[in-house]
Amino acid sequence: MTRIGNANSVADLQAIADDLAERIGFGSVTYTQHLPQDPDRVPLFFTRYPDDWVEHYSGNHFGAVDPVIRLAKLGRPFCWRDIPDRYQGDDGRHVLNEARDFGIIDGFCVPVLGGPVIGALNALPVGSAREREEALRYGVESLVALGHLVHERARLLTMRQARDIVAALTPVESEMVQRLMTGLSEDQVVGAMRLGEGEFRRLLGSVMGKLGATDPHQLRARTALLGLADAP
């Protein structure tokens, strides 16, 4: 488990998590972070889910009704098959049924609450039916420990990324980010900073590019996840 502390990139973290999970009978390791107030925005650190499922999940905005995310907010590890009905609903059951069609079934979730985000490591037991049951019976304690270690390392990698982004922002761009995160509308930011509409659009495009955001909503989500709203 100490190998997690040596991961210096997301790719390293994924490779080490994959190897450690495999040793206790789990595969398809996925780690995501979620804003509690905006669960549909699912910044993905890494996944071994099929690409077509990831695209299908994102394209149908399943993050807003995913019962795994709903229950993860409580911060307690759980097996998907044990999700209570009140956290599922028709939409949530639909998500789980759709996942089953892609071979994604009987996962185990390790949520970690901390700071402005919920970290969630999910993995699927592998092998024969007997081997999968044994993994869920005997391997979850180790998987929980792995989930917490992955979350802490991901948090540190995120902090490094945030520092790099802060260093790349100009003072005007940084001010614009801070004002947007206070809840001001774009028009209010334009007025407060005395910017022309064209200048504001240019700055917004530059900031979105540096944060890897495709729209203002994603920009706010990534800013919150990276802690940039509190950066000097």
Side-chain angles (χ1 to χ4, degrees), residues 51-95:
D51 290 342
D52 50 354
W53 168 248
V54 175
E55 182 178 352
H56 183 65
Y57 185 101
S58 176
N60 287 279
H61 305 287
F62 282 166
V65 295
D66 189 340
V68 175
I69 296 177
R70 288 175 177 172
L71 190 56
K73 292 180 181 180
L74 299 183
R76 296 192 296 267
F78 61 91
C79 183
W80 297 357
R81 67 173 66 163
D82 297 327
I83 298 175
D85 287 342
R86 67 181 180 276
Y87 287 96
Q88 294 192 36
D90 292 340
D91 289 340
R93 279 187 286 273
H94 175 71
V95 173

Side-chain angles (χ1 to χ4, degrees), residues 154-171:
R155 185 178 62 82
L156 291 175
L157 292 174
T158 299
M159 290 172 61
R160 289 182 186 176
Q161 183 183 10
R163 288 197 296 267
D164 291 343
I165 291 174
V166 168
L169 293 176
T170 68

Side-chain angles (χ1 to χ4, degrees), residues 81-155:
R81 67 173 66 163
D82 297 327
I83 298 175
D85 287 342
R86 67 181 180 276
Y87 287 96
Q88 294 192 36
D90 292 340
D91 289 340
R93 279 187 286 273
H94 175 71
V95 173
L96 295 179
N97 288 334
E98 291 274 293
R100 184 186 299 267
D101 291 340
F102 286 81
I104 301 171
I105 184 175
D106 283 343
F108 193 89
C109 180
V110 183
V112 183
L113 308 184
V117 303
I118 300 170
L121 182 137
N122 284 275
L124 309 181
V126 297
S128 66
R130 180 180 60 82
E131 289 170 332
R132 294 195 300 271
E133 289 301 321
E134 287 181 350
L136 289 171
R137 177 175 296 182
Y138 302 113
V140 294
E141 184 175 344
S142 295
L143 189 66
V144 169
L146 176 62
H148 281 264
L149 288 169
V150 166
H151 178 72
E152 286 304 309
R153 196 60 189 173
R155 185 178 62 82

